[in-house]
Amino acid sequence: MEHVFAHATTLALDEAFTIHADCDIVIRDGRIAAIGPNAGAAGSNTANARTIDARGLLLLPGLLNAHTHSPENFARGRDDGSLLDEWLPAVWSHIDALTPRELYVAAMMGAGEMLRSGATAVVDHFRQTPMHTAAIDAAAQAYEDAGIRAIVAPMLRDRVVPKGRTVAPVAEQVAVIEDAAGRWRARSNRVRIGFGPSAPNRCTDAMLQAVGAAARRCGTIIHTHVDEGQAETERTRALYGHSTVEHLRQLGLVSPALTIAHAVWIEPRDVETLAQGGAVVVHNPVSNMRLGDGVAPIAALRRAGVRIAIGTDGAASNDGQHYFEAIKLAMFLQRVSDAPPAQWMSARDILRHASNHAAFGFGTGTLRVGDPADLIGISTTSYGLTPANDWHRQLVYGAPALDVRFAMV
């Protein structure tokens, strides 16, 4: 089936931040086949095309929620006024043993909210203790059924285990994830399985090394928390005798396959280590503020060339999965930190970070011929875009007053 979105306004989010008015996008076999004024007439196989009148719509690439925890969709509003150390047991004692059916529903709820707020892809740092195949499959199946792109990265741990829970030996935990990665690679072109060690300090070196080897075999990512809260960061440095990032470097894990959430308390030398290794840092501004974690050094990371993505974090430390809200706060939080105005992100900068699909193997995150047809349509008459002074700025500043009319994956 071929689709033609006709007479839209398009934001490509490419290097030139191309904007086209009265633009057509031709979609064939799941990819963009042609784009530009009158592209529908020139590039469409009209006999099989379905034409959609897109006047009044702003079309742009779907965005990427690069860090969340789907079981937390059942834990909104559970706790308030707690730092990370108190918050974790208060929240997860309720949701660490959900049934597969409950896990499916929780992931489906999050997928719906993300799609309705502009995200067409997600990295789910998925926790259940103990981890098991049915739990992983439940979350993955929800994303497959919702139609969103997803990497489910189940949490592993063998050093710090929640009270009252038990975990399997390292080899058994890793084997469960590796088996799921193979099955879902064969089963879906949208959903993949990654490896999600909870945090380096919650895993022995033997587990981290086993995860690194398995991730290389599977060709998938490693997704983990690093230096989220100050107290935990200090304990980790005392454990290792150096920083968390340095420890990951010594284990050979700082690579383009490594994606780390938070990085609030990393050391200045860690920034260069992450840049040289090609790792990705996922900024989670809402949860960092809600839990009093602090402000991640995004300006320093950007100066060093570290790849940046944006996450909502889970719905128990955010209470929603509204992606444009996370983008707006990610941008403005830097302006009340120590970053001088010359280093503030622009709206275009933050939108490129929000569409950093390439860092996770989801595509380029732009609108160009050959790209996956992952795009969202926002009403140009929504409050946040009226009047139309600057599309990029108003997309960021106007959230959540935007009317996302559809998401296509």
Side-chain angles (χ1 to χ4, degrees), residues 307-321:
R307 296 185 295 165
I308 307 293
I310 310 297
T312 61
D313 211 341
S317 61
N318 181 321
D319 300 278
Q321 300 288 277

Side-chain angles (χ1 to χ4, degrees), residues 1-6 23-36 38-46 49-51 59 368-371 373 375 408:
M1 183 68 178
E2 181 176 285
H3 294 78
V4 178
F5 288 90
C23 180
D24 298 346
I25 299 180
V26 180
I27 295 167
R28 187 180 304 126
D29 298 327
R31 293 187 175 273
I32 297 174
I35 183 169
N38 299 313
S44 171
N45 180 354
T46 55
R50 176 190 175 197
T51 299
L59 301 184
R368 63 177 64 158
V369 173
D371 282 348
L375 53 92
M408 179 175 186

Side-chain angles (χ1 to χ4, degrees), residues 22-249:
D22 197 18
C23 180
D24 298 346
I25 299 180
V26 180
I27 295 167
R28 187 180 304 126
D29 298 327
R31 293 187 175 273
I32 297 174
I35 183 169
N38 299 313
S44 171
N45 180 354
T46 55
N48 296 314
R50 176 190 175 197
T51 299
I52 299 151
D53 188 344
R55 277 174 284 213
L57 285 178
L58 184 67
L59 301 184
L60 65 151
L63 304 176
L64 166 67
N65 184 1
H67 181 69
T68 191
H69 309 283
S70 60
E72 287 187 20
N73 288 307
F74 280 177
R76 302 165 192 257
R78 280 273 186 193
D79 185 76
D80 194 19
S82 297
L83 295 175
L84 179 64
D85 280 357
E86 296 79 32
W87 176 88
L88 282 168
V91 167
W92 279 95
S93 61
H94 298 280
I95 54 176
D96 221 352
L98 297 174
T99 67
R101 175 61 181 170
E102 290 167 335
L103 293 168
Y104 176 91
V105 173
M108 184 67 81
M109 287 170 59
E113 188 173 3
M114 286 182 278
L115 289 164
R116 288 296 297 270
S117 63
T120 57
V122 60
V123 179
D124 185 355
H125 199 191
F126 178 72
R127 171 174 162 171
Q128 285 290 278
T129 308
M131 184 56 63
H132 53 93
T133 296
I136 299 168
D137 286 349
Q141 190 63 54
Y143 292 131
E144 177 72 8
D145 292 348
I148 195 170
R149 293 196 195 275
I151 297 176
V152 179
M155 283 195 195
L156 304 170
R157 61 171 78 213
D158 67 334
R159 175 179 268 142
V160 179
V161 179
K163 185 177 180 180
R165 302 288 173 193
T166 59
V167 295
V170 170
E172 188 175 326
Q173 291 190 59
V174 172
V176 167
I177 311 307
E178 194 163 0
D179 171 71
R183 286 187 296 104
W184 279 93
R185 185 184 305 112
R187 186 171 175 176
S188 173
N189 62 4
R190 284 193 303 264
V191 178
R192 308 201 311 269
I193 306 297
F195 289 82
S198 177
N201 63 296
R202 299 171 197 152
C203 303
T204 62
D205 288 355
M207 169 167 273
L208 292 171
Q209 289 170 322
V211 163
R216 286 189 290 272
R217 288 193 299 271
C218 295
T220 191
I221 69 166
I222 300 171
H223 187 71
T224 187
H225 297 102
V226 167
D227 295 355
E228 177 179 359
Q230 184 175 15
E232 184 170 53
T233 300
E234 290 172 352
R235 289 195 300 270
T236 304
R237 288 174 184 163
L239 173 67
Y240 293 143
H242 46 250
S243 74
T244 311
V245 171
E246 172 59 20
H247 197 70
L248 291 171
R249 186 196 69 79

Side-chain angles (χ1 to χ4, degrees), residues 337-408:
S337 66
D338 58 357
Q343 295 175 14
W344 287 355
M345 286 184 282
S346 70
R348 293 184 175 192
D349 291 333
I350 198 70
L351 285 170
R352 287 297 299 276
H353 293 316
S355 61
N356 193 1
H357 291 260
F360 296 86
F362 286 129
T364 67
T366 61
L367 296 184
R368 63 177 64 158
V369 173
D371 282 348
D374 297 354
L375 53 92
I376 57 175
I378 298 175
S379 172
T380 57
T381 59
S382 63
Y383 290 114
L385 297 180
T386 305
N389 295 315
D390 184 286
W391 293 120
H392 296 97
R393 291 173 187 156
Q394 287 171 255
L395 279 173
V396 176
Y397 303 161
L402 301 172
D403 180 11
V404 179
R405 299 294 299 279
F406 75 91
M408 179 175 186

